[in-house]
Amino acid sequence: MISKIKYEYLLGFIAIIWILFFAYVIQLKAGFSSLGDDGSYLYSARLLYFNHKIDNTRPLLISAINGFPYLFGFSNHTTVKFGIFINFLCWFFTSVLLFKIISKILNRKKAFLLSVIFIFCIGNLAHAFNFLSESIFIFMILLSIYFVSKYYETTKYYFITIAIAVLLFNTLIKPVSIGLALILIFFFISKFKRIIFNKLSFLLLASFLLIIYQMYSLKKNYGDFTISYISSITYYNYLGDKADCYKKGIEYLPAKTERSKKYGLLSSNEMKKTAENDFKSQFNNNTYNLFKAYLFCMYSNTHKGNYIVSECNNEKGTSYFNVFYFLFKAISKLQNILFTIFGVSLSFYCLLNFNKIDKFYLMNATFILYIFFISAISCFQCDRFHIVFYPIVLLLLLIFLKNIKNITNKYIK
């Protein structure tokens, strides 16, 4: 029994020591940040629990999770601390899920080593310190992948049912997850009848009905039957605005251009229509600059380090701060570049060799490419979007680790 659980305990020990060391040397405090999107998440939680309304950009489930302490009369301060605690739990259990998936494919020792690599990913840990949704979102994605791996281990279809339901629920954390759910459905479309009719089919129904309720609520309160307005707002203020600035030959400053300021005065319904019309117009009449802006967004999100680390200050005047501050910024930047290059390259390798690659890896490769390409509607996000596929990249590395193992075994024999 001890030998079976020691790696999980060791992961927990390493995680705690690493969190304490990481926070101490760069004086990173877990709490509410006025610089990021923390405010919008707190606002949506308050809107749900005090006004019984769903926010136009932050969906129902993330608002319900973050604002849970409000049910018991706790303050904003306690609510933020609770949300960050959930982030840390999700960050750690993401590493545990990664370990469990890999240990079934290779062995527990190699699974442990790859899980430790994830723990030492600067961007993933840093995001857990703020009142954001990335840690929960990533955990839900890997939880879905874990259930897919359980299906391949047992051939029980209800594991795919759970996996799809998890991604549908995750859509109410971040709407972009709807694409991941559709990808998973596509990969198992031939087995769909067995997936939707089994003892856990109620999970699919529950997730579907919750999404319908989200869309109905937005239609009722804001005018559109949609999951969220975040994609329209993001496109218009980033990709669309950058393309427009290229066309006009002016400097692009996110949310500070004249058209962005006017856009911010519109209602949610008007924002959505304006963004749709802008995309159609630019796609037809400003194609080159739109494509150029899209490539810029890819580059912008790939070559930067973690912004949360960048915002740390040497308030205590310690002699070692500058060393670790520079080191962690550099490592997070290098991790973003390498994980992106390896992730995209491995994914294309899988797709180009689809007839030789296991379906499990093909699905993960498609997940990575979907996240990579869809995230380019925004720019200046540093590593925020790409940390989502870091653990999936580690899963794709198994293709080569397995090949090395097979070649080594063959050579030894």
Side-chain angles (χ1 to χ4, degrees), residues 53-64:
K53 287 181 63 178
I54 298 175
D55 184 56
N56 64 335
T57 59
R58 307 303 176 192
L60 173 62
L61 194 53
I62 188 61
S63 301

Side-chain angles (χ1 to χ4, degrees), residues 41 79 145-146 160 177 192 194 291 312-313 322 344 402:
Y41 285 105
T79 299
I145 293 172
Y146 169 75
I160 301 299
S177 186
F192 201 61
R194 295 185 181 184
F291 181 68
C312 291
N313 295 302
N322 289 333
V344 173
K402 283 178 68 179

